[in-house]
Amino acid sequence: MDELDTRIIKLLSEDGRMSFRELAKKIEVTEKTIRLRYANLIDSGILEIVGRINPITIGLKEGAIIQVKVTPGCLRSVIGYLDKIQSIRYITITTGEYPILVQVAAANQEEITELVLDLFEHNEITELDTMIQLEVSKSSYQVN
C-alpha cells in the first residue's frame, strides 16, 4: 500500500459513496488509475466496502461495554453464545483479567439490564464488568 492507496482509502472513509471520477479529480490522477487501485485494494482484502448503520437512527440509543470472565476451557463456547445475542454488536478476545469484551447497542437501559441478568445466568460466565457508555466522541475507521 502506497501513498495513493492511502489517499483513496482516506477519501472513501470520509464519504463511501464518492465516485471514481470525484476521487480522481481530488487526487489528481486518472479515473482508470482509481478503478485499478480500488480493485487491487478490494482484491487484496485491504479495503472492504460495507454499509454501517448508525444505531441511534434505528432507536438504539444506549450503549455498554461488558468485560466477561469465563470458566477455563469455555472461551469459544461463550463467544458462540454471545454471538447469537442481537444487542451485542462487537465481540473481541482480549488480554488481561477479562478475556472477552463485548459492545452492546440497546434501545434503553432496561434492555441492557436484562442482558446483564441473562449473562449472569449463563453457567460458563463467571464474572462481568459492565460500563455504560455515556457519550461516544469518536467512532471511526478513518485513515489519517
Side-chain angles (χ1 to χ4, degrees):
M1 203 170 89
D2 62 13
E3 184 181 331
L4 179 56
D5 292 332
T6 302
R7 290 178 70 194
I8 292 168
I9 292 169
K10 182 175 181 356
L11 288 169
L12 287 173
S13 70
E14 293 168 3
D15 179 2
R17 300 185 317 170
M18 191 176 293
S19 69
F20 290 155
R21 177 175 290 148
E22 191 174 350
L23 283 166
K25 184 177 177 182
K26 286 183 181 260
I27 299 175
E28 298 178 346
V29 296
T30 66
E31 193 173 332
K32 181 179 179 181
T33 298
I34 296 294
R35 286 183 193 285
L36 291 172
R37 292 297 186 109
Y38 178 87
N40 287 335
L41 289 167
I42 295 289
D43 292 344
S44 66
I46 293 171
L47 182 64
E48 292 179 349
I49 303 299
V50 296
R52 193 178 93 187
I53 296 171
N54 178 346
I56 293 170
T57 63
I58 59 170
L60 303 175
K61 298 179 181 184
E62 304 296 334
I65 306 289
I66 303 174
Q67 294 175 300
V68 182
K69 281 187 185 179
V70 301
T71 304
C74 297
L75 188 67
R76 298 251 181 243
S77 171
V78 171
I79 289 171
Y81 166 74
L82 296 171
D83 188 48
K84 293 177 177 75
I85 299 172
Q86 186 175 352
S87 61
I88 294 177
R89 54 181 285 185
Y90 179 81
I91 303 170
T92 186
I93 298 173
T94 63
T95 61
E97 194 175 341
Y98 294 86
I100 301 173
L101 181 140
V102 300
Q103 184 178 23
V104 176
N108 52 51
Q109 291 296 322
E110 291 78 16
E111 190 176 321
I112 294 172
T113 301
E114 283 301 314
L115 172 62
V116 169
L117 293 173
D118 288 346
L119 293 178
F120 271 125
E121 290 181 12
H122 190 282
N123 62 354
E124 295 175 334
I125 294 174
T126 59
E127 193 174 322
L128 300 175
D129 181 33
T130 304
M131 297 166 272
I132 301 299
Q133 292 176 251
L134 300 176
E135 179 179 316
V136 177
S137 298
K138 181 177 183 180
S139 177
S140 171
Y141 293 98
Q142 292 182 348
V143 175
N144 293 328

